[in-house]
Amino acid sequence: MTYSLSLPDEAATERLGAALAERLRPGDVVALQGGLGAGKTTLARAVLRAASGDPALVVPSPTFTLVEIYDTPRGAYWHFDLYRLETAEQVLELGWEEARADGVALVEWAERLGPLLPPDRLAVSLAPDGAGRRADIDGGARFAGL
């Protein structure tokens, strides 16, 4: 099931992030896709702030660290940025299997996972849309009606 949402401003992106955080469970993978500046980090930041219950949580982009881990009341959230990976297998060195086993994985540039990207993922594709952005969401019944 795929559907589109208009996100006219950052507040709309934050609401989507909060709605996602309510539905995510350990073992879930959120594949965040879109070009540079599409809003992947903004959405991941909104999910992490909602999951932690801290709207002021500092959430740096993991562009250089490649992964940041957050212990939240809802469990561990792993925020991956795979832009700089040269091969999909390099994600295994970042704790990918542990994240998949007992955490929620938010993955920017998820397409770089190739065959390691699980088929049962929640895919969120972001694209500029006028002054805001559009989110195309594909993730099954649990994520319908976001």
Side-chain angles (χ1 to χ4, degrees), residues 37-48:
K40 296 178 298 293
T41 301
T42 300
L43 181 58
R45 188 174 288 127
V47 170
L48 290 163

Side-chain angles (χ1 to χ4, degrees), residues 105-140:
L106 304 173
V107 187
E108 297 187 44
W109 302 98
E111 62 274 12
R112 294 182 184 250
L113 283 171
L116 295 175
L117 186 60
D120 61 343
R121 68 194 173 267
L122 169 65
V124 181
S125 298
L126 298 164
D129 186 23
R133 59 182 57 105
R134 184 185 76 254
D136 294 325
I137 302 169
D138 183 6

Side-chain angles (χ1 to χ4, degrees), residues 8 16 25 35-36 45 61 73 77 79 100 133 138:
L16 174 58
R25 304 288 177 261
L36 286 171
R45 188 174 288 127
S61 172
Y77 276 67
H79 182 193
R100 292 275 294 129
R133 59 182 57 105
D138 183 6

Side-chain angles (χ1 to χ4, degrees), residues 42-117:
T42 300
L43 181 58
R45 188 174 288 127
V47 170
L48 290 163
R49 287 177 175 161
S52 71
D54 181 357
L57 180 69
V58 175
V59 181
S61 172
T63 300
F64 296 103
T65 59
L66 303 179
V67 65
E68 295 285 336
I69 305 166
Y70 300 84
D71 289 318
T72 79
R74 298 171 192 237
Y77 276 67
W78 297 62
H79 182 193
F80 292 89
D81 184 326
L82 306 183
Y83 184 75
R84 297 185 322 121
L85 285 192
E86 293 180 19
T87 67
E89 291 73 25
Q90 287 177 316
V91 76
L92 299 174
E93 299 169 21
L94 302 175
W96 178 248
E97 292 171 335
E98 185 179 351
R100 292 275 294 129
D102 61 4
V104 172
L106 304 173
V107 187
E108 297 187 44
W109 302 98
E111 62 274 12
R112 294 182 184 250
L113 283 171
L116 295 175
L117 186 60

Side-chain angles (χ1 to χ4, degrees), residues 5-20:
L5 286 175
S6 175
L7 304 172
D9 52 30
E10 192 162 330
T13 302
E14 290 170 0
R15 287 190 299 274
L16 174 58
L20 286 172

